[in-house]
């Protein structure tokens, strides 16, 4: 009988054991999700578009804020029967929203494709579909970002990015990601909203506006629209919150259930007060944070959904005060937290482009909640709320949203034990983030100790310093297995036939030595990096012309001070940290090691034999495949392969060190444990590590999957950044659908 993990057991049994711990409310909400496909809710897109039609010619940030105000005024406010924390972006129990300004050119095809998308289908109402086709999509034709980027990309870059004859078709070679999320993963400074209230920021903006010198063009043309946008955006959120308050009061009048009536009145009272004013208790602090979170989702398509920051830190003062006052129990806290997990999961991260969909399969998203770690002063930060968040995540049955536990060398045993217990359940959470690796990294980039100690996890494995990070343009996923294939096929890929996409580095059978072969691969690799940097250069220029984020900017100290939208290339005092991903690392390294060993050193196989076996996807070449599979493999304490890995890594770092300056951004090499290796594998034919054609590439920085028995000795998960030694950054991203 197979031995199942607790998580696998839950799935196999169909009767989750969480029912024992979780509240009835949450159980009922989850039940209603069963078999329910998420629905595409068009109203965010419709009202955004209506407003943009009416504000043409005005400064972008002001248009954005006005559009958000229009949305806040018009969008339905819905409070479900068992919801404790109000605020939705769609009407259905599970929904996704559209961002036509980003990738509106996909809208019409997506409407037909999404109901049948394998793994993550979405339903759309027929009438809504016709509104999209007739009212929303036509406005964005020629205006949306994806189309503009396709127009802007140099001719040379296009074939690596998409089919030059049809830009809607990705090539999965050098993938920019900015056209399926307008913003890379991000964390707001959530603390300041429940602490000071948005009214305090609005007052500051009003005072600054009054002081501007109208004769100064910077004041008049840049600062004034920014400050007006701040005020309008805050008014929008407050209006939206007040509408929730009224709705809760209306529902309270209708219910015969006294307990529910009280809950609705609590929601009504909270939404009338926060986020405009400082939170007066734990419940209001959570309500305030959630309204900001949800409104952010309506403003921008943030990659992997906007993260939640250090929740056990910024909610703790309210928790402590309420506990001391005897007005809050831990059971109530757990119920509120579970309700919040559900609110987050209710919004499905909808990608309408097939490329975005392929990189983000399922409905999962990574709006990481961070717990543990250290205070800005470097003391252990764990508190009682940390444990409650861990417990609520443990009881919560979905694989997402995402929890990250910061660990440092003085983390106490009780905390480590509690974290281990959650991991033991097998849901892939929390992921562990090591302060000893991250803090020095952030210091090396120019952060102060206080800022570095106060980092929050963002997205699947990144980190952010909410008031210091300023770089937001989504970066590139690079399929270096394609560079390998181009080395073997003289610049071509089997998937794309005779088209010469990469460099013509010569026929593989003609390479006389390992050095020649390696040099050819490195040329292809360097050429990919060149394409990435050309892409990013254009993206960095184009991005601020298409996107503004009033909310993200008003919550960022540096943007508010400088009166600049967070999308702008340079924010005074900011640290611009970007990245590009090496996808398929072990696949490439193992393939190079096999060729070096078997073809050039031991001469057990000829290059011709290898090429034929690859071309036939190993059919009839089992012995060749077995040789290849047993060649040295990366990530197993085998210096033969690991030295090749180091070389590829160093070559990438050399490149970014030399050319990052031209981008004015510190672009680091990243090996993210993410799902990109699956869609990227689908365009790569058989590889010399014995991998079959079109199957997944290796994952993140891990060793290749499924090595022959006895070959796996030790697996390192490694994340490399310039100037820093290898580090263990994160384990387990839990990327699964519901
Ligand atoms: C997950 C990966 O590319 O969105 O955080 O940063 S990415």
């Amino acid at each position: 009988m197979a031995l199942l993990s607790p998580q696998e057991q839950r799935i196999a049994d169909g009767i989750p054991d969480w029912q024992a711990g979780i509240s009835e409310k949450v159980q009922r909400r989850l039940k209603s999700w069963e078999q329910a496909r998420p629905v595409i809710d068009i109203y965010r897109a419709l009202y955004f578009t209506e407003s943009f039609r009416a504000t043409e010619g005005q400064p972008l940030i002001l248009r954005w804020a006005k559009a958000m105000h229009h949305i806040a005024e018009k969008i339905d406010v819905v409070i479900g029967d068992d919801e404790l924390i109000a605020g939705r972006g769609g009407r259905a129990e599970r929904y996704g929203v559209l961002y036509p300004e980003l990738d509106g050119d996909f809208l019409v095809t997506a409407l037909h494709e999404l109901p049948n998308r394998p793994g993550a289908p979405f339903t759309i109402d027929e009438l809504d579909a016709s509104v999209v086709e007739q009212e929303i999509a036509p406005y964005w034709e020629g205006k949306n970002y994806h189309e503009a980027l396709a127009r802007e990309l140099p001719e040379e870059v296009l074939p690596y990015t998409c089919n030059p004859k049809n830009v809607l078709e990705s090539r999965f070679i050098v993938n920019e990601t900015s056209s399926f999320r307008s913003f890379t993963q991000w964390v707001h400074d959530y603390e300041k909203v429940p602490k000071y209230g948005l009214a305090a920021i609005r007052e500051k903006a009003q005072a600054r506006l009054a002081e501007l010198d109208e004769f100064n063009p910077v004041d008049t043309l840049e600062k004034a629209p920014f400050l007006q946008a701040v005020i309008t955006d805050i008014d929008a959120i407050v209006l939206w919150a007040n509408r929730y308050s009224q709705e809760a009061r209306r529902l309270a009048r209708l219910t015969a259930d006294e307990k529910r009536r009280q809950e609705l009145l609590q929601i009504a009272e909270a939404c009338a007060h926060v986020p405009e004013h400082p939170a007066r208790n734990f419940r209001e602090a959570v309500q305030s944070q959630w309204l900001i979170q949800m409104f952010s989702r309506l403003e921008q398509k943030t990659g992997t959904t906007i993260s939640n920051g250090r929740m056990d830190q910024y909610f703790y003062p309210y928790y402590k005060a309420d506990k001391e006052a005897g007005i809050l129990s831990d059971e109530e806290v757990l119920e509120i937290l579970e309700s919040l997990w559900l609110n987050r999961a209710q919004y499905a991260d909808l990608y309408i482009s097939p490329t975005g969909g392929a990189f983000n399969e399922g409905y999962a998203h990574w709006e990481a909640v961070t717990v543990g770690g250290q205070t800005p002063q470097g003391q252990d930060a764990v508190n009682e709320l940390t444990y409650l968040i861990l417990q609520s995540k443990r009881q919560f049955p979905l694989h997402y949203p995402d929890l990250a536990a910061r660990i440092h060398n003085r983390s106490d045993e009780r905390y480590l034990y509690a974290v281990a217990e959650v991991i033991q359940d097998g849901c892939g959470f929390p992921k562990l983030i090591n302060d000893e690796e991250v803090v020095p990294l952030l210091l090396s980039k120019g952060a102060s100790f206080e800022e570095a100690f106060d980092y929050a996890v963002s997205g699947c494995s990144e980190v952010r310093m909410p008031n210091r990070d300023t770089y937001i343009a989504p970066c590139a996923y690079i399929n270096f297995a394609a560079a390998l294939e181009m080395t073997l096929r003289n610049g071509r890929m089997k998937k794309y036939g005779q088209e010469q996409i990469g460099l013509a580095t010569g026929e593989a059978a003609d390479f006389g030595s390992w050095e020649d072969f390696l040099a050819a691969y490195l040329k292809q690799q360097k050429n990919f990096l060149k394409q990435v940097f050309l892409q990013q250069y254009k993206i960095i220029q184009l991005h601020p012309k298409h996107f503004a984020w009033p909310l993200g900017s008003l919550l960022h100290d540096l943007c508010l001070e400088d009166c600049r939208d967070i999308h702008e290339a340079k924010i005074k005092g900011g640290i611009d940290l970007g990245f590009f991903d090496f996808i398929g690392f072990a696949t490439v390294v193992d393939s190079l090691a096999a060729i070096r060993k078997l073809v050039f050193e031991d001469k057990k196989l000829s290059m011709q034999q290898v090429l034929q076996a690859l071309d036939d996807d190993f059919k009839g070449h089992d012995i060749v495949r077995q040789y290849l599979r047993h060649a040295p493999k990366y990530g197993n304490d085998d210096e033969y392969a690991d030295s090749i890995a180091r070389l590829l890594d160093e070559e990438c770092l050399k490149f970014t060190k030399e050319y990052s300056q031209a981008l004015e951004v510190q672009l680091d090499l990243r090996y993210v444990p993410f799902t990109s290796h699956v869609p990227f594998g689908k365009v790569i034919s058989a590889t010399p590590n014995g991998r079959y054609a079109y199957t997944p590439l290796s994952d993140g920085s891990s060793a290749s999957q499924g090595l022959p028995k006895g070959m796996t000795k030790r697996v390192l998960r490694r994340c490399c950044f310039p100037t820093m030694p290898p580090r263990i950054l994160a384990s387990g991203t839990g990327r699964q659908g519901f």
Side-chain angles (χ1 to χ4, degrees):
M1 209 179 100
L3 184 64
L4 301 179
S5 71
Q7 178 78 356
E8 288 163 338
Q9 192 67 54
R10 281 179 199 177
I11 293 164
D13 291 347
I15 309 164
D17 59 8
W18 46 266
Q19 287 187 337
I22 208 157
S23 75
E24 279 180 18
K25 271 190 183 35
V26 173
Q27 289 188 42
R28 277 196 297 269
R29 282 181 75 186
L30 277 168
K31 265 263 168 291
S32 74
W33 290 17
E34 274 174 18
Q35 315 299 334
R37 280 182 179 190
V39 173
I40 300 176
D41 195 289
I42 64 161
Y43 290 94
R44 181 267 171 204
L46 180 65
Y47 300 136
F48 190 87
T49 306
E50 276 180 5
S51 178
F52 259 60
R53 263 205 188 95
T55 58
E56 290 201 357
Q58 299 181 21
L60 186 62
I61 189 159
L62 196 51
R63 293 182 79 190
W64 217 281
K66 286 181 177 176
M68 295 319 296
H69 199 280
H70 189 57
I71 291 171
E73 209 176 344
K74 304 276 284 195
I75 203 164
D76 281 343
V77 288
V78 179
I79 303 174
D81 284 346
D82 285 305
E83 282 173 20
L84 290 179
I85 305 295
R88 281 196 196 182
R91 293 165 305 168
E93 256 307 310
R94 301 186 72 206
Y95 63 89
V97 302
L98 300 167
Y99 303 87
E101 69 278 15
L102 171 66
D103 49 5
D105 49 338
F106 286 98
L107 274 175
V108 174
T109 48
L111 293 182
H112 301 290
E113 189 249 325
L114 279 164
N116 302 311
R117 179 180 280 175
F122 280 81
T123 302
I124 183 157
D125 172 88
E126 257 181 50
L127 200 60
D128 286 351
S130 66
V131 172
V132 172
E133 283 197 56
Q134 286 159 29
E135 291 188 35
I136 300 175
Y139 176 76
W140 294 101
E141 209 182 306
K143 293 193 187 78
N144 66 77
Y145 173 78
H146 178 254
E147 276 183 278
L149 182 64
R151 282 194 302 269
E152 278 289 316
L153 283 181
E155 210 179 314
E156 172 181 358
V157 184
L158 217 48
Y160 295 85
T161 316
C162 55
N163 176 353
K165 296 196 187 94
N166 177 9
V167 298
L168 300 184
E169 249 176 49
S170 170
R171 276 280 166 84
F172 294 101
I173 302 174
V174 175
N175 262 92
E176 57 78 30
T177 67
S178 67
S179 58
F180 55 81
R181 57 215 189 150
S182 52
F183 215 86
T184 194
Q185 30 68 28
W186 188 253
V187 183
H188 289 310
D189 172 10
Y190 290 102
E191 185 184 5
K192 60 165 72 107
V193 184
K195 198 168 175 180
Y196 306 113
L198 289 176
I201 300 177
R202 185 171 49 196
E203 269 169 37
K204 193 173 168 180
Q206 281 163 336
R208 297 266 314 266
L209 195 57
E211 282 164 11
L212 293 182
D213 175 356
E214 65 172 299
F215 301 103
N216 180 333
V218 174
D219 280 14
T220 300
L221 297 176
E222 293 185 18
K223 294 189 176 178
F226 175 90
L227 293 166
Q228 280 156 355
V230 166
I231 296 163
T232 307
D233 208 63
I234 291 175
D235 286 346
I237 302 170
V238 170
L239 167 68
W240 188 57
N242 284 332
R243 289 184 62 217
Y244 271 104
S245 174
Q246 285 154 15
E247 175 64 2
R249 224 169 267 290
R250 186 185 74 83
L251 292 172
R253 281 196 296 274
L254 297 179
T255 184
D257 177 341
E258 181 53 25
K259 186 159 182 288
R260 184 60 184 155
R261 199 174 80 85
Q262 289 307 325
E263 286 169 1
L264 287 163
L265 290 177
Q266 273 179 331
I267 294 174
E269 207 180 325
C271 291
H273 190 76
V274 294
E276 187 174 16
H277 303 292
R280 296 168 294 193
N281 52 45
F282 180 76
R283 202 178 284 270
E284 284 190 357
V286 174
Q287 180 65 71
S288 175
Q289 193 270 358
W290 174 245
L291 288 170
I292 293 293
Q293 245 273 344
M294 191 60 237
F295 207 74
S296 290
R297 297 178 189 207
L298 291 173
E299 279 204 32
Q300 287 288 345
K301 172 91 179 142
T302 308
T304 65
T305 308
I306 183 150
S307 286
N308 288 287
R310 305 186 70 185
M311 206 169 248
D312 60 344
Q313 303 304 299
Y314 59 75
F315 283 156
Y316 186 64
Y318 307 94
Y319 166 81
K320 191 163 174 275
D322 286 7
K323 287 285 295 215
E324 281 170 7
I327 56 169
L328 184 74
S329 69
D330 283 354
E331 288 65 41
E332 285 172 303
V333 172
L334 285 171
E335 198 178 47
I336 292 169
L337 291 173
E338 280 156 8
S339 203
L340 194 58
W341 291 120
L342 264 176
N343 280 17
R344 291 187 206 120
Q346 183 171 51
Y347 162 100
D349 201 11
L350 167 59
Y351 289 86
I352 63 168
S353 78
T355 319
F359 285 123
N360 294 275
E361 278 195 347
Y363 305 121
H365 27 98
W366 287 267
E367 60 266 59
V369 168
T370 305
V371 295
Q374 299 170 78
T375 65
Q377 291 71 39
Q379 289 156 332
D380 184 45
V382 172
N383 58 43
E384 286 314 304
L385 192 55
T386 315
Y387 291 106
L388 288 172
I389 293 174
L390 283 167
Q391 187 182 336
S392 77
K393 179 65 188 171
R394 191 174 183 199
Q395 289 176 180
F396 192 72
L398 304 186
H399 311 296
Y400 62 93
D402 178 341
L403 180 65
R406 280 180 51 180
I407 308 284
H408 60 89
N409 59 15
R410 288 161 293 111
S411 290
D412 77 31
E413 262 191 42
R414 180 182 165 208
Y415 173 63
L416 294 175
Y417 197 88
V419 166
E421 272 190 329
V422 186
I423 292 172
Q424 170 189 269
D425 281 354
C427 71
F429 293 107
K431 53 197 176 193
L432 307 182
I433 307 292
N434 293 327
D435 282 10
E436 274 67 42
E437 300 296 339
V438 174
V439 170
L441 165 72
L442 297 175
L443 292 174
S444 79
K445 303 295 183 188
S448 68
F449 271 104
E450 286 78 7
E451 289 162 339
F453 279 138
D454 203 23
Y455 77 85
V457 178
S458 171
C460 65
S461 61
E462 296 72 26
V463 299
R464 290 284 184 187
M465 297 173 288
N467 280 308
R468 197 70 206 277
D469 274 277
T470 42
Y471 186 71
I472 45 79
C475 303
Y477 299 153
I478 315 169
N479 189 346
F480 280 108
L484 171 78
E485 182 162 352
M486 289 179 188
T487 315
L488 293 163
R489 296 177 184 274
N490 196 11
R492 300 186 179 90
M493 290 170 70
K494 193 168 182 184
K495 171 90 184 168
Y496 300 118
Q498 285 311 305
E499 186 181 341
Q500 180 79 41
I501 301 174
L503 302 177
T505 41
E507 294 301 332
D510 296 341
F511 293 124
S513 68
W514 156 245
E515 286 72 23
D516 289 349
F517 185 82
L518 177 66
Y521 169 76
L522 290 176
K523 263 193 208 161
Q524 301 282 4
Q525 176 173 303
K526 192 169 179 184
N527 177 49
F528 274 30
L529 293 173
K530 174 186 169 194
Q531 305 307 328
V532 168
F533 275 57
L534 294 177
Q535 255 181 11
Q536 290 305 314
Y537 187 81
K538 287 290 183 188
I539 288 168
I540 290 167
Q541 288 183 334
L542 195 62
H543 217 228
K545 295 187 187 136
H546 283 259
F547 302 106
W549 198 10
L551 181 53
S553 308
L554 72 90
L555 291 176
H556 196 298
D557 288 349
L558 297 175
C559 295
L560 195 60
E561 188 51 41
D562 213 15
C563 292
R564 272 179 196 281
D565 182 77
I566 186 82
H567 288 83
E568 291 194 21
K570 274 277 147 214
I571 308 290
K572 220 188 281 168
I575 296 183
D576 286 327
L577 281 180
F579 53 81
F580 57 93
D581 282 295
F582 196 130
I583 312 286
F585 191 54
T587 303
V588 174
V589 173
D590 292 350
S591 297
L592 292 175
I595 291 205
R596 178 182 192 177
K597 181 90 182 130
L598 296 167
V599 176
F600 293 111
E601 286 181 9
D602 296 355
K603 302 194 191 319
K604 290 253 173 37
L605 299 172
S606 69
M607 184 66 92
Q608 203 48 57
Q609 266 177 306
V610 174
L611 292 173
Q612 194 58 55
L614 298 181
D615 218 37
D616 296 343
D617 198 15
F618 300 113
K619 276 188 204 78
H621 303 276
D622 200 46
I623 294 176
V624 174
R625 182 164 183 266
Q626 287 313 318
Y627 268 120
L628 295 169
R629 298 247 300 149
H630 285 83
K633 295 283 180 285
Y634 155 81
N636 293 282
D637 270 354
D638 185 334
E639 185 53 21
Y640 190 94
D642 287 356
S643 62
I644 296 175
R646 245 192 326 275
L647 174 74
L648 305 194
D649 183 277
E650 281 161 12
E651 288 296 314
C652 288
L653 295 185
K654 228 194 285 172
F655 189 95
T656 188
K657 205 167 173 194
E658 187 160 355
Y659 297 107
S660 264
Q661 280 157 9
L663 295 179
E664 294 189 42
V665 168
Q666 302 181 49
L667 269 201
D668 282 351
L669 171 60
R670 185 177 77 159
Y671 299 90
V672 72
F674 199 51
T675 56
S676 336
H677 61 295
V678 178
F680 274 162
K682 288 183 183 165
V683 301
I684 304 293
S685 65
T687 42
N689 61 338
R691 172 192 148 278
Y692 287 114
Y694 312 122
T695 58
L697 305 176
S698 57
D699 171 15
S701 56
S702 299
S704 292
Q705 313 87 327
L707 296 185
K709 210 170 164 220
M711 286 204 66
T712 307
K713 292 184 204 146
R714 189 157 66 91
V715 175
L716 286 180
R717 295 184 83 86
R718 223 189 121 192
C719 192
C720 298
F721 293 87
T723 76
M724 294 298 293
R727 77 240 23 238
I728 296 169
L729 190 68
S731 65
T733 52
R735 172 169 277 252
Q736 294 166 60
F738 168 52

